[in-house]
């Protein structure tokens, strides 16, 4: 009975009650004023037919449930409901007769009147069956549509999460392989630096393991890890690059996608520091701007150098992640002109008020 939409909650039971009362009132008006039946007979028959109709309305859910339009041929559905409607209408008329004549003992006058109107009663029952069963089909269709939509939404969410995880997992091996190669080279040349690098790499991996399941992190935590990464690269490249930050203190509390900055710095090390003999200056700028956390990484580069194979994979990775997380493909800008390369990320603040609150609290 729990799958019956009428009995599923109290609100629907109230609707059934109002529907039955409405039918009883209309039935009384037709019997008393339209067909000139006496007052007492009109009241009793209206109540009896209405109560019986309420029971049949609940039962009519099952023909709609088990005679599926999707599973059976339309002709089979039509004839099945035709038979069901004939039986239901006949049963309804018969029960009214039994209750009125046998139980309440209405006399010959009522019986004669009943026989004269039996065809109309049957047709009314037939029409009500068609209306109620159509209603059940509509409810069933709407419920299935909602359930299908919910499942599709859950499936899309799972696919998105899988894509995000896949993109995150592309980041870590890339850096680890580079670091392991560097450590291998340093082991013989400078064992002390190799040991220092191993310790920093261990700290770096510990951070990744601790935050890998998080979708977002505070910028301060991400930058702490970036500095660790740069310390490792500094051992490899010594004085080939310098790093500085220009940012407001309040930016540290803002949340950004986990490990979103890592490919940015890997990209700079791989395509700028590798390719030039001059010192590369890396500058990270951060500020709030019109509802976004604006993060910009700027570096100089040797314009005469040839781009290394695989250039752009890390940046594409970042753009794909931003697109998946925020459903927008305009959150990253890349500029390359006059020996200066810059990448700007626009991280939407989930709530503009929240970003203003962060700034306000930081100023206190």
């Amino acid at each position: 009975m729990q799958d019956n939409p009428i009995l599923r909650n109290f609100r629907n039971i109230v609707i059934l009650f109002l529907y039955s009362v409405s039918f009883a009132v209309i039935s009384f008006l037709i019997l008393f004023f339209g067909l000139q039946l006496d007052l007492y007979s009109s009241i009793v028959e209206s109540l009896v037919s209405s109560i019986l109709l309420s029971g049949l309305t609940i039962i009519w859910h099952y023909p709609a449930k088990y005679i599926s339009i999707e599973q059976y041929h339309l002709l089979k559905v039509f004839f099945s409901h035709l038979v069901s409607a004939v039986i239901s209408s006949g049963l309804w008329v018969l029960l009214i007769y039994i209750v009125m004549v046998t139980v309440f003992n209405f006399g010959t006058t009522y019986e004669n009147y009943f026989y004269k109107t039996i065809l109309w009663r049957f047709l009314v029952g037939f029409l009500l069956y068609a209306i109620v069963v159509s209603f059940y089909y509509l409810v069933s269709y709407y419920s299935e549509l909602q359930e299908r939509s919910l499942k599709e939404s859950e499936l899309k969410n799972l696919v998105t999460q899988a894509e995000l995880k896949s993109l995150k997992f592309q980041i870590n091996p890339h850096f680890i392989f580079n670091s392991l190669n560097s450590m291998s080279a340093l082991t013989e040349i400078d064992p002390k630096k190799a040991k220092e690098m191993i310790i920093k790499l261990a700290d770096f991996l510990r951070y990744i393991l601790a935050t890998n399941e998080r979708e977002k992190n505070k910028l301060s935590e991400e930058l702490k890890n970036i500095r660790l990464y740069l310390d490792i690269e500094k051992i490899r490249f010594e004085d080939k690059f310098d790093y500085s930050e220009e940012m407001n203190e309040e930016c540290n509390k803002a949340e950004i996608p986990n490990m979103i900055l890592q490919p940015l710095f890997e990209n700079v090390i791989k395509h700028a520091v590798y390719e030039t003999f001059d010192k590369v200056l890396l500058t990270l700028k951060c500020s709030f701007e019109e509802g976004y956390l604006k993060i910009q990484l700027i570096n100089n580069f040797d314009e005469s150098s040839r781009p290394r194979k695989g250039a752009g994979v890390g940046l594409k990775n970042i753009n794909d992640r931003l697109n998946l997380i925020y459903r927008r493909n305009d959150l990253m800008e890349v500029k390359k002109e006059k020996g200066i390369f810059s990448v700007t990320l626009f991280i939407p603040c989930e709530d503009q008020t929240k970003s203003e609150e962060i700034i306000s609290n930081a100023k206190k």
Side-chain angles (χ1 to χ4, degrees):
M1 297 290 281
Q2 290 182 349
D3 62 342
N4 192 305
I6 291 179
L7 302 179
R8 199 173 293 164
N9 58 54
F10 180 72
R11 186 192 64 175
N12 292 344
I13 294 174
V14 171
I15 292 174
L16 175 65
F17 174 75
L18 294 175
Y19 156 76
S20 302
V21 169
S22 302
F23 178 82
V25 171
I26 294 171
S27 178
F28 170 76
L29 293 175
I30 293 174
L31 291 172
F32 185 68
F33 293 105
L35 301 176
Q36 305 297 316
L37 190 65
D38 65 87
L39 179 64
Y40 179 61
S41 299
S42 298
I43 293 174
V44 175
E45 185 183 327
S46 299
L47 292 174
V48 169
S49 59
S50 176
I51 292 170
L52 291 172
L53 179 64
S54 299
L56 286 172
T57 299
I58 295 172
I59 294 171
W60 285 339
H61 161 68
Y62 297 99
K65 179 181 177 182
Y66 293 109
I67 305 174
S68 171
I69 295 176
E70 294 180 351
Q71 293 180 3
Y72 301 113
H73 194 278
L74 282 179
L75 275 178
K76 184 175 182 180
V77 172
F78 175 76
F79 282 112
S80 298
H81 279 300
L82 184 64
V83 172
S84 179
V86 170
I87 294 173
S88 296
S89 301
L91 183 64
W92 182 52
V93 174
L94 179 63
L95 288 174
I96 292 173
Y97 177 81
I98 292 173
V99 173
M100 292 296 292
V101 175
T102 306
V103 178
F104 291 103
N105 201 23
F106 280 87
T108 308
T109 304
Y110 176 81
E111 284 190 65
N112 292 332
Y113 158 80
F114 188 87
Y115 292 137
K116 288 179 183 177
T117 57
I118 193 167
L119 179 60
W120 286 106
R121 294 169 183 276
F122 180 82
L123 290 176
V124 169
F126 195 93
L127 179 63
L128 288 173
Y129 174 89
I131 293 172
V132 171
V133 168
S134 299
F135 165 76
Y136 279 127
Y137 273 123
L138 282 175
V139 170
S140 174
Y141 174 77
Y142 181 69
S143 299
E144 288 179 8
L145 194 66
Q146 278 190 317
E147 190 176 344
R148 197 176 303 156
S149 176
L150 182 63
K151 285 182 179 177
E152 286 178 0
S153 176
E154 289 175 349
L155 184 61
K156 285 181 181 176
N157 188 41
L158 286 174
V159 170
T160 301
Q161 292 300 321
E163 290 179 13
L164 281 171
K165 284 186 177 180
S166 173
L167 288 171
K168 280 173 67 177
F169 291 148
Q170 287 177 20
I171 298 169
N172 302 339
H174 186 201
F175 167 68
I176 292 169
F177 292 143
N178 287 342
S179 298
L180 289 174
N181 284 333
S182 300
M183 282 187 284
S184 173
L186 281 172
T187 303
E188 293 183 0
I189 301 170
D190 192 339
K192 188 177 177 182
K193 282 190 177 178
K195 182 180 178 183
E196 185 182 347
M197 196 168 178
I198 290 170
I199 292 171
K200 288 185 181 293
L201 181 62
D203 290 340
F204 181 84
L205 293 176
R206 191 178 296 115
Y207 174 85
I208 292 174
L209 287 174
T211 61
N212 195 39
E213 294 301 321
R214 295 181 198 168
E215 186 177 327
K216 292 181 180 177
N217 270 335
K218 285 185 178 178
L219 178 62
S220 58
E221 294 179 18
E222 287 291 304
L223 286 180
K224 194 184 295 180
N225 197 47
I226 289 298
R227 292 175 197 126
L228 202 55
Y229 165 77
L230 292 176
D231 284 346
I232 295 170
E233 298 293 35
K234 198 77 175 174
I235 294 172
R236 295 171 61 201
F237 296 103
E238 296 185 339
D239 295 327
K240 283 197 70 176
F241 73 89
D242 279 334
Y243 171 67
S244 65
E245 295 175 357
E246 296 176 13
M247 56 189 294
N248 299 322
E249 183 62 30
E250 57 267 28
C251 290
N252 284 319
K253 297 180 181 178
E255 290 192 331
I256 64 172
N258 185 20
M259 297 290 290
I260 198 77
L261 297 181
Q262 182 66 29
L264 270 186
F265 283 87
E266 285 188 4
N267 190 66
V268 170
I269 296 296
K270 184 176 180 181
H271 300 293
V273 178
Y274 261 44
E275 301 299 328
T276 183
F277 293 105
D278 299 327
K279 177 173 280 189
V280 176
L281 301 176
L282 311 180
T283 304
L284 182 83
K285 296 182 179 179
C286 181
S287 61
F288 284 104
E289 189 173 300
E290 298 179 352
Y292 296 91
L293 179 71
K294 182 180 176 183
I295 303 173
Q296 189 174 33
L297 183 61
I298 305 168
N299 66 274
N300 57 303
F301 70 99
D302 185 357
E303 290 184 282
S304 62
S305 65
R306 294 180 60 186
R308 288 172 63 86
K309 187 179 179 182
V313 174
L315 296 181
K316 183 180 181 305
N317 194 317
I318 294 172
N319 198 42
D320 288 347
R321 283 191 66 195
L322 291 174
N323 193 10
L324 284 170
I325 294 170
Y326 299 106
R327 307 289 180 187
R328 291 177 54 177
N329 57 8
D330 59 345
L331 299 178
M332 187 175 80
E333 281 184 4
V334 179
K335 290 184 179 178
K336 187 178 181 182
E337 55 185 9
K338 297 179 181 176
I340 299 296
F341 188 86
S342 70
V343 180
T344 307
L345 305 183
F346 296 91
I347 308 297
C349 294
E350 292 180 358
D351 186 347
Q352 179 67 22
T353 307
K354 187 177 176 181
S355 65
E356 291 172 354
E357 185 181 333
I358 290 173
I359 296 172
S360 174
N361 291 336
K363 289 179 178 177
K364 288 179 181 178

